[in-house]
Amino acid sequence: MDVTKALAIVLVVQYHVANHATAVVAGLSGWAWDLWIGLADLLIPVRMPAFFLVSGLLAANALERRWRDVLRPRYAAILWPFLIWSVALTVLIAARGADDPWEAILGRLPNILQGGDGYWYLSTLVLFFTVCRLGRRAYGWLLLGAFLVWFFASLVPAVLPESFPPALASNIYRWASFGIWFAIGAFGRAVVLRLGARPWWDLLPPAVIGFGLCVWLTDRLRETQYSGLPMSKPLSVTGVVLLVGVSVMLARWPAAARLGVYLAARTLPIYVVHAVLVYGIRYVTYELGWLVQLTEPPADLVVLLAVPLVVAGMVLVSTQLADRVAGTRFAWLFTAPGRRRRRDPASAPAG
């Protein structure tokens, strides 16, 4: 679970780095750029489903606890950084090139109350936990409903009126798309863990073949009359199994397992800090006209190495910041104020 969670957050950072790179580097092109942007787009159906699957696994034991025992770890600990960092990111994004920065900021702040835009994963995590806790006694029906909503999620934009708030509309689509994965983790924990306990050579080869076939079929259908077939569903299923298979293989290596544990415990700081870094760099380069020029012959090699180095750098900055402020007066950046209740380790929330 730790390795899968670590891989998912690293892939989230890679996606944002790749998608905002054109606002930092002028004239991006070539096979290396095609590789990174292609990887970012290819894994769109995989990253967040895997993230929510692990989140559901880690929340499974907390579903049966009393409300007062989950208020801090499952609500305050998530909603506090969501609000703090959402305001900071809103100011950073809204003020870019705005004629009236205050008007732009005030215009975007309501998005936070609609589930947010930059940090929507955190508010969605709280929503999914609440729904699963309330529906745990009829989890079979909840799973069925989540599956149907997931299967028909592509219809969400069509049924919402044009006047619907864009941020809320986007989040409703996300809730429909990812709820099934959290529910599978929360109510199918034993099944998922049995899958993860299998030797990687039993899991990885069929996952690679299945995901590869889905990618190939998606590409073949793109230019035909069947291009509208919803291939994102099989891509998600086979892709998540593939990511779990890779995690099983990596977890057998002590160094990779230790790194997975370290990063998994810091996914929240990585998630919130890297977005500020991405938009901060974009502001300095694109908005101020300081775009990096990359036109020399070794440009492909530079791009090939730069993307993973930038991703690693953002992960490092995020984790180091979290480690440095822990236990100081700046701990509120990532931790909700208030005293933690002492509890028996055996009853502590998983994850």
Side-chain angles (χ1 to χ4, degrees):
M1 288 190 292
D2 287 327
V3 175
T4 303
K5 193 177 181 184
L7 287 175
I9 189 61
V10 170
L11 291 174
V12 167
V13 178
Q14 188 272 335
Y15 175 78
H16 290 145
V17 168
N19 275 270
H20 289 274
T22 53
V24 177
V25 181
L28 268 178
S29 62
W31 63 266
W33 172 242
D34 292 340
L35 172 67
W36 289 122
I37 197 67
L39 178 65
D41 292 341
L42 177 66
L43 296 180
I44 286 176
V46 180
R47 276 182 302 267
M48 297 314 296
F51 220 158
F52 279 111
L53 176 69
V54 176
S55 299
L57 290 170
L58 295 174
N61 292 336
L63 294 178
E64 295 296 335
R65 293 195 177 95
R66 295 172 298 180
W67 282 108
R68 66 180 183 180
D69 291 332
V70 299
L71 283 179
R72 182 176 180 86
R74 297 295 167 185
Y75 289 89
I78 297 174
L79 291 178
W80 173 262
F82 166 74
L83 292 173
I84 293 294
W85 288 89
S86 289
V87 171
L89 190 63
T90 295
V91 171
L92 183 60
I93 295 175
R96 285 187 336 211
D99 295 331
D100 187 343
W102 280 112
E103 182 180 356
I105 292 170
L106 293 175
R108 290 188 66 97
L109 282 177
N111 293 354
I112 298 175
L113 300 179
Q114 298 167 20
D117 36 27
Y119 298 124
W120 61 269
Y121 164 76
L122 297 176
S123 61
T124 300
L125 199 59
V126 172
L127 174 66
F128 287 171
F129 176 80
T130 303
V131 171
C132 287
R133 194 183 187 286
L134 292 174
R136 66 190 186 279
R137 301 303 180 199
Y139 68 87
W141 289 105
L142 194 151
L143 282 168
L144 176 60
F147 172 80
L148 292 175
V149 170
W150 169 73
F151 192 81
F152 295 105
S154 60
L155 300 179
V156 169
V159 300
L160 295 178
E162 293 184 3
S163 59
F164 209 77
L168 183 57
S170 296
N171 283 324
I172 290 176
Y173 176 74
R174 290 162 178 156
W175 300 337
S177 301
F178 302 129
I180 183 62
W181 297 102
F182 186 91
I184 289 173
F187 299 119
R189 178 185 170 97
V191 176
V192 177
L193 292 184
R194 280 200 300 270
L195 179 68
R198 297 184 64 84
W200 67 266
W201 53 84
D202 281 354
L203 190 61
L204 197 54
V208 170
I209 294 172
F211 186 68
L213 285 174
C214 288
V215 172
W216 175 81
L217 186 59
T218 302
D219 186 64
R220 290 295 298 271
L221 293 176
R222 187 173 290 121
E223 303 299 330
T224 70
Q225 59 180 325
Y226 304 106
S227 59
L229 288 178
M231 287 302 297
S232 62
K233 306 305 188 223
L235 280 170
S236 284
V237 174
T238 55
V240 169
V241 175
L242 174 59
L243 196 63
V244 171
V246 171
S247 302
V248 170
M249 181 180 67
L250 292 177
R252 298 294 189 266
W253 299 349
R258 288 194 297 272
L259 180 60
V261 171
Y262 178 82
L263 294 179
R266 292 160 180 81
T267 51
L268 189 149
I270 296 171
Y271 180 68
V272 296
V273 173
H274 93 273
V276 171
L277 293 175
V278 166
Y279 279 100
I281 294 172
R282 175 172 177 160
Y283 180 84
V284 170
T285 57
Y286 187 74
E287 299 296 336
L288 299 183
W290 295 357
L291 281 170
V292 177
Q293 301 294 324
L294 193 62
T295 56
E296 297 301 321
D300 282 328
L301 180 60
V302 172
V303 172
L304 182 66
L305 299 177
V307 171
L309 287 176
V310 171
V311 171
M314 288 189 173
V315 171
L316 180 63
V317 170
S318 303
T319 55
Q320 289 303 301
L321 177 62
D323 290 347
R324 294 295 182 270
V325 304
T328 71
R329 65 177 182 273
F330 298 106
W332 56 268
L333 286 171
F334 305 108
T335 306
R339 181 178 300 176
R340 292 177 178 271
R341 296 179 57 195
R342 295 178 62 88
R343 61 175 75 245
D344 183 351
S347 65

